[in-house]
Amino acid sequence: MAGVLQRFEQRLEGAVTGAFARAFRSAVQPVEIAAALQREIDNSAHVLSRERMLVPNDFTVELSTSDHERLTPFGTTLSDELATLVKEHVTEQRYTLAGPLTITFVEAPELGTGRFRVRSKTNASVRPVAGQRMTETAIRSSDVVIEVNGMRHPLQAPGVVIGRGSEADLRIDDPGISRRHAEIKVHDSPGGTTVTVVDLGSTNGVILNGHRVQTGSVADGSQIRLGNTSVLIHITSTDRER
């Protein structure tokens, strides 16, 4: 761990001018943020298998108003160097990132100068259904919409296969998700639209509203957990005129 931090400091010294050091003389130090990111990763790691531990990939660094102002001119450089540090730490500890790495700095006015917080979450990348219309009109006109990491995907019958592999309709880059993990089935009938979820023989199973299921009926507001990713289901009235 010390080696990673030392390399981070050396790279940062070579990447910015003396103005950077002066800006941080009486404020939060970049190495403090780097160390906090390492601790956040270590404290958030959880076991995927005997040889794999998953760690967050989306980090937010909350800074006081004065520190945020000092950081702004160096934000890109610092983010890039912190990202390199995180990747080195992940490699050295043999962790697995949950998805593409992002580090964002935000202002937190309630914090005093020199104080900061690091928050993290797992946020796997999502590749939409091939050929699927992702417009607001398509989403509003669909009876069934699934929401993954803030992205909404309208569904039509017969539904969608979710997984990590190229053969899945909706690909989620989550190492806890199998190549073909689950199918969300949409059934249109004179009596209305019904939705079910089916486990396709996944390694980590399908959790529907907190309960593991092989097949389960899905209602509006249901939450499906696949690996480390939550899928929220929105089902609207089936009496809508089309």
Side-chain angles (χ1 to χ4, degrees):
M1 182 180 296
V4 171
L5 286 174
Q6 186 176 33
R7 291 194 296 272
F8 167 76
E9 288 188 291
Q10 290 171 346
R11 286 195 306 268
L12 199 58
E13 288 173 1
V16 298
T17 65
F20 189 92
R22 290 195 296 274
F24 281 94
R25 185 168 296 157
S26 60
V28 64
Q29 300 296 312
V31 70
E32 294 176 323
I33 299 175
L37 284 169
Q38 287 187 338
R39 289 194 300 271
E40 181 69 17
I41 290 170
D42 292 338
N43 293 337
S44 303
H46 67 273
V47 177
L48 280 180
S49 66
R50 289 181 59 185
E51 299 180 353
R52 300 177 73 196
M53 294 189 69
L54 187 75
V55 295
N57 64 302
D58 191 334
F59 299 90
T60 300
V61 181
E62 299 179 352
L63 298 155
S64 68
T65 299
S66 58
D67 287 325
H68 190 265
E69 290 175 353
R70 290 185 179 97
L71 259 178
T72 299
F74 313 102
T76 300
T77 298
L78 184 56
S79 293
D80 289 346
E81 294 303 332
L82 287 170
T84 298
L85 171 137
V86 168
K87 291 174 182 176
E88 286 183 351
H89 185 61
V90 165
T91 299
E92 289 189 2
Q93 301 300 316
R94 298 183 180 179
Y95 293 145
T96 299
L97 284 169
L101 177 63
T102 60
I103 300 175
T104 307
F105 298 98
V106 299
E107 182 180 347
E110 73 276 11
L111 295 176
T113 299
R115 307 281 294 180
F116 68 94
R117 288 190 295 256
V118 173
R119 301 187 188 278
S120 67
K121 59 183 178 180
T122 58
N123 195 13
S125 64
V126 181
R127 302 184 190 184
V129 179
Q132 180 67 272
R133 294 179 302 149
M134 297 295 293
T135 64
E136 284 297 321
T137 300
I139 292 172
R140 285 196 301 269
S141 63
S142 179
D143 285 332
V144 183
V145 175
I146 62 174
E147 183 176 343
V148 187
N149 293 338
M151 293 180 61
R152 292 192 169 201
H153 308 264
L155 291 190
Q156 306 295 333
V160 64
V161 172
I162 300 177
R164 186 167 45 87
S166 58
E167 61 268 39
D169 300 316
L170 185 67
R171 296 178 62 182
I172 302 178
D173 225 6
D174 179 338
I177 291 180
S178 298
R179 296 183 65 81
R180 280 173 53 89
H181 196 109
E183 183 176 7
I184 297 178
K185 294 185 175 182
V186 178
H187 314 269
D188 286 334
S189 67
T193 299
T194 59
V195 182
T196 57
V197 60
V198 180
D199 188 341
L200 299 178
S202 66
T203 300
N204 294 317
V206 172
I207 309 299
L208 174 60
N209 297 326
H211 302 282
R212 184 162 182 160
V213 298
Q214 179 58 46
T215 302
S217 297
V218 178
D220 180 41
S222 290
Q223 185 178 73
I224 302 170
R225 188 79 174 173
L226 308 175
N228 306 282
T229 300
S230 291
V231 178
L232 187 63
I233 308 296
H234 303 278
I235 303 175
T236 55
S237 171
T238 57
D239 296 329
R240 176 191 293 123
E241 290 187 6
R242 299 181 185 272

